[in-house]
Amino acid sequence: MINFTEVSDFVFSTSTHSIEDFNALKNIFEYAFLSPVFPSISKENYSSERNLFEEIKKRKNFSPKTVALGGIYSGNIEQTLQNGFDNIALLGTIWSSENAIKNFKLCQKIVLSLSA
């Protein structure tokens, strides 16, 4: 069994699919994915039965940062970051793109413009 107090050089993350699970996380996690925010780009017919923008309003645990995952692309990054998520993760929008690097740079530009 891992003694988390003895591994301070590591960054711990986890994935959750409900705000209840997110709120129950211990403070050892630096960030946690909350998904899927939107219908998945890379997983066909994969979406949440909950509106995570409404759910995030019930956030009580501010120790881990929330990372939005699922269906994130250049057209909804701003909405996601302005509605309670601390950051975003990109998967399908990059790997499904004809020009992954160009698409990544566009998404990065949007994120950086919002943090300026």
Side-chain angles (χ1 to χ4, degrees), residues 65-111:
K65 300 288 185 193
T66 55
V67 181
L69 177 64
I72 308 294
Y73 73 104
S74 61
N76 61 22
I77 290 172
E78 185 172 355
Q79 173 191 6
T80 304
L81 293 176
Q82 290 181 344
N83 283 285
F85 287 90
D86 298 311
N87 218 324
I88 58 160
L90 303 172
L91 294 172
T93 192
I94 301 301
W95 307 121
S96 300
S97 173
E98 288 186 26
N99 190 332
I101 293 172
K102 182 179 177 181
N103 195 15
F104 170 77
K105 287 182 178 183
L106 171 62
C107 293
Q108 181 182 43
K109 182 179 176 180
I110 293 166
V111 170

Side-chain angles (χ1 to χ4, degrees), residues 1-94:
M1 176 133 193
I2 296 174
N3 182 347
F4 290 108
T5 60
E6 295 178 7
V7 287
S8 61
D9 292 340
F10 294 91
V11 173
F12 292 98
S13 66
T14 190
S15 295
T16 60
H17 300 287
S18 73
I19 198 64
E20 293 84 8
D21 290 345
F22 184 90
N23 283 334
L25 292 174
K26 304 291 184 200
N27 64 1
I28 61 166
F29 296 104
E30 188 167 322
Y31 60 92
F33 298 95
L34 184 56
S35 70
V37 178
F38 298 99
S40 176
I41 295 169
S42 58
K43 294 180 183 177
E44 194 172 317
N45 299 317
Y46 184 66
S47 61
S48 179
E49 294 179 11
R50 298 175 171 200
N51 179 336
L52 293 183
F53 289 119
E54 288 301 316
E55 294 291 305
I56 197 99
K57 294 175 185 176
K58 301 174 192 170
R59 182 179 179 189
K60 293 182 174 112
N61 186 353
F62 293 91
S63 179
K65 300 288 185 193
T66 55
V67 181
L69 177 64
I72 308 294
Y73 73 104
S74 61
N76 61 22
I77 290 172
E78 185 172 355
Q79 173 191 6
T80 304
L81 293 176
Q82 290 181 344
N83 283 285
F85 287 90
D86 298 311
N87 218 324
I88 58 160
L90 303 172
L91 294 172
T93 192
I94 301 301

